[in-house]
């Protein structure tokens, strides 16, 4: 643990991750909707990580971490805890690399995420969100089997892997002759946004960066305001199962603190409205946590000057059909 | 009418259409899903025309036709009949070009298609599918107002515009170092597939081309077998509202006859299964008629050799939320 946290993560790590991911992760396209552009009055370049392997960006970081395991570590396997997308990313990366994976998941995780994690061959250990500690369960597995713990965000290799999203976005925008005035991404623990920040700061210093989190899970906003990592005590569930983190990471917070313009907060009804917009107009399946950036645009919570170019990350699309059906019918 | 039909349509027309569409239509990406590749045992390169303006390829042909109206014709406006996607394509192209559009639509067209057509500013004339003739209604409007009739497929400019889908696909595949062994596309009247065929035959002569239509709407298969255009008498509705054509076009049939390997037929349950796969695995919203090619792959109705490269067109994503909810919940 301390070994991991003792070293910082840099843009060079993101570049190295991109080389490791080449041919393994999908280079998702950067797409554009004239209808969305017209509605926002700006050019919105969308990075649909919904089209990534496992339906979310999480494969990038997981593969970048697991491909660097030593031969001995590969034999012992990995253990991770996650409500779903990191679980799938680790499970698929482990399958591709031939290493056993054990995943600690809450018993109420979305069924689609649990089924996919199982389908990739991982062994799932369920826990009760209210009475058990996933950290303790994972630590016990690691102690018993020697498995390497793969954190969901606070790890330099994970952050560097997720950062390839930002690297691709800047280069794809350049290929269109564009540069981002602003860029916004969902944020939970900060692995994705931290990695993106490293890439964007290096390649496009003038871009303003924003994190978007669910209301009542505004640990990033509180931390930025306090000037130090500040945990929240969740008192409700969010529609955004992927963004219910209680505190930004030790490694990710300094990166975010030094580079973000701020954090925006989105309510559940605003998320549902953004998912409907993605269904009706963009024709994309986006999960609640993946749609908060789009919601920040549609609600006007992100202030956009006419004619600006805005980068938008749709981070995942793993949503149960029952919930998606309710959302598109306007019942949520 | 005869003026239109008297001249053939060629690859040069597709190239000219691409120039007219540049900056107006979306260059949709060519995307790839490792999960789909693994399932099919081949490399499937997907063209999601769901991401096109109006959510379907139809904008391409409509814009290519309308941008060539004379100043006098633009003043008089256009009239078209369509169950929905051509309607939206004509309505949006007319709005962009500042010409009035009147669209004849069946009263039972999907609500999402009707609402979007209205939102683009077109005037909608509803008709009863069982008792009225849309051709007569459109002809009466044209006679009264001088509006130019915009056919949904049997027109060289429409075919050439839709053909830009194929032109982009071949070039995008080349950029990946790939060439299509086979390519399959939904087919109704044959505007899309005819246009694609012109482009693919010119640029990639060895590619085998297939049309995919709903069972009981197999006018293309019957026509290919008979060696001449053969109409069907529909005795039921198809889930694929966009593919209920009774007969392949006068202009499109000779192109298809000379170049296709054949036509495949897909049942409603197979279409629904493909839509679920697109939701769960590809994270794309695809309407029934847009998913028949995917269904041909998933069912094994298209024979694919291991390691082949297959081009797949997802032609549209305009589906009512109620139907989509039923499909993803497995109720259809």
């Amino acid at each position: 643990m301390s070994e991991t946290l003792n070293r910082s993560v840099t843009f060079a790590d993101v570049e190295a991750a991109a080389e490791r991911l080449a041919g393994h992760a999908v280079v998702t396209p950067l797409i554009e909707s004239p209808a969305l552009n017209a509605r926002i009055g700006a050019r919105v370049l969308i990075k649909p990580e919904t089209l990534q392997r496992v339906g979310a960006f999480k494969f990038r970081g997981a593969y970048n971490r697991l491909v660097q395991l030593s031969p001995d570590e590969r034999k012992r396997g990995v253990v991770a805890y996650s409500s779903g997308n990191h679980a799938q990313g680790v499970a698929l990366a482990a399958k591709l690399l031939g290493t056993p994976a054990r995943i600690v998941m809450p018993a109420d995780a979305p069924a689609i995420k649990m089924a996919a994690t199982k389908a990739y061959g991982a062994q799932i250990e369920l826990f009760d969100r209210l009475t058990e500690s996933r950290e303790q369960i994972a630590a016990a597995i690691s102690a018993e089997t020697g498995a390497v713990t793969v954190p969901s965000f606070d790890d330099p290799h994970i952050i560097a892997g997720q950062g390839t999203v930002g690297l691709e976005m800047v280069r794809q925008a350049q290929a269109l002759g564009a540069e981002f005035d602003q860029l916004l991404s969902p944020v939970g623990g900060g692995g994705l946004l931290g990695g993106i920040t490293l890439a964007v700061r290096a390649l496009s210093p003038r871009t303003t960066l924003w994190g978007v989190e669910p209301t009542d899970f505004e640990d990033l906003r509180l931390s930025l305001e306090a000037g130090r990592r500040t945990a929240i005590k969740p008192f409700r569930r969010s529609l955004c199962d992927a963004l219910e983190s209680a505190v930004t990471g030790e490694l990710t917070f300094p990166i975010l603190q030094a580079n973000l313009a701020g954090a925006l907060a989105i309510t559940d009804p605003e998320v549902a409205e953004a998912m409907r917009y993605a269904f009706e107009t963009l024709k994309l399946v986006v999960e609640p946590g993946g749609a908060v950036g789009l919601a920040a645009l549609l609600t006007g919570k992100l202030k956009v000057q006419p004619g600006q170019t805005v980068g938008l990350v749709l981070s995942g699309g793993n949503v149960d059909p029952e919930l998606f059906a309710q959302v598109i019918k306007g019942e949520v």
Side-chain angles (χ1 to χ4, degrees), chain A:
Chain A
M1 191 65 152
S2 55
E3 179 217 356
T4 291
L5 294 181
N6 273 343
R7 85 168 190 77
S8 62
V9 52
T10 66
F11 176 55
D13 296 317
V14 179
E15 289 182 300
E19 285 181 28
R20 286 184 209 105
L21 290 176
H24 300 286
V26 172
V27 178
T28 53
L30 193 67
I31 62 177
E32 193 170 357
S33 159
L36 179 60
N37 287 353
R39 168 148 173 184
I40 305 300
R43 183 177 197 185
V44 183
L45 298 174
I46 305 167
K47 185 71 167 172
E49 278 293 293
T50 53
L51 308 181
Q52 186 52 263
R53 292 183 96 148
V54 314
F57 71 95
K58 289 282 190 180
F59 175 77
R60 298 175 183 259
Y63 190 90
N64 187 50
R65 177 68 193 89
L66 268 60
V67 77
Q68 297 183 71
L69 291 173
S70 70
D72 182 53
E73 287 173 328
R74 275 200 204 191
K75 261 184 229 153
R76 285 184 274 136
V78 293
V79 60
Y81 43 86
S82 156
S83 73
N85 283 333
H86 179 57
Q88 292 178 70
V90 171
L92 176 57
K95 182 186 174 190
L96 295 173
L97 294 164
T99 191
R102 293 173 79 173
I103 312 282
V104 183
M105 294 184 82
D108 60 356
I112 194 173
K113 294 180 176 178
M114 210 176 299
T117 305
K118 264 185 207 162
Y120 296 129
Q123 189 180 328
I124 298 183
E125 311 283 343
L126 295 182
F127 76 100
D128 184 321
R129 202 185 275 274
L130 298 176
T131 60
E132 297 180 287
S133 156
R134 58 188 196 171
E135 289 85 353
Q136 283 175 10
I137 297 171
I141 292 172
S142 181
E144 186 194 329
T145 63
V148 175
T149 302
V150 183
S152 60
F153 54 86
D154 225 11
D155 175 294
H157 304 313
I158 298 288
I159 296 168
Q162 323 302 31
T164 59
V165 172
L167 183 63
E168 288 175 11
M169 286 179 80
V170 173
R171 289 186 177 155
Q172 289 168 321
Q174 285 171 345
L176 298 171
E179 186 179 1
F180 300 116
D181 296 296
Q182 305 194 73
L183 186 149
L184 70 178
S185 165
V187 61
L192 172 62
L193 183 55
I196 288 174
T197 297
L198 292 174
V200 173
R201 265 297 152 272
L203 299 174
S204 178
R206 74 171 186 82
T207 301
T208 306
L209 290 150
W210 299 87
V212 191
E213 53 195 349
T215 50
D216 300 335
F217 292 82
E218 296 159 70
D219 50 290
L220 176 58
R221 179 182 62 77
L222 293 171
S223 300
L224 291 174
E225 286 174 7
R228 57 181 170 74
R229 294 171 67 227
T230 304
I232 53 153
K233 287 202 178 65
F235 58 89
R236 66 169 183 99
R237 295 297 309 273
S238 165
L239 196 59
C240 305
D241 60 273
L243 302 180
E244 294 181 310
S245 66
V247 65
T248 309
E250 286 182 53
L251 275 175
T252 55
F253 182 65
I255 301 170
L256 300 178
Q257 186 181 30
N259 294 290
L260 289 200
L264 307 168
I266 298 297
T267 67
D268 280 357
E270 290 167 344
V271 167
E273 184 60 35
M275 290 172 70
R276 275 191 291 279
Y277 186 88
F279 166 79
E280 283 176 10
T281 303
L282 305 180
K283 311 300 179 190
L284 295 175
V285 177
V286 187
E287 67 179 277
V292 292
L294 178 59
L297 277 174
L298 294 175
T299 56
K301 289 187 177 180
L302 180 76
K303 302 299 171 210
V304 178
Q305 301 302 316
Q308 281 195 326
T309 298
V310 179
L312 170 66
V313 179
L314 301 177
S315 53
N318 294 313
V319 49
D320 279 343
E322 290 72 19
L323 175 61
F324 196 77
Q326 288 180 318
V327 167
I328 62 178
K329 288 160 74 180
E331 296 166 4
V332 173

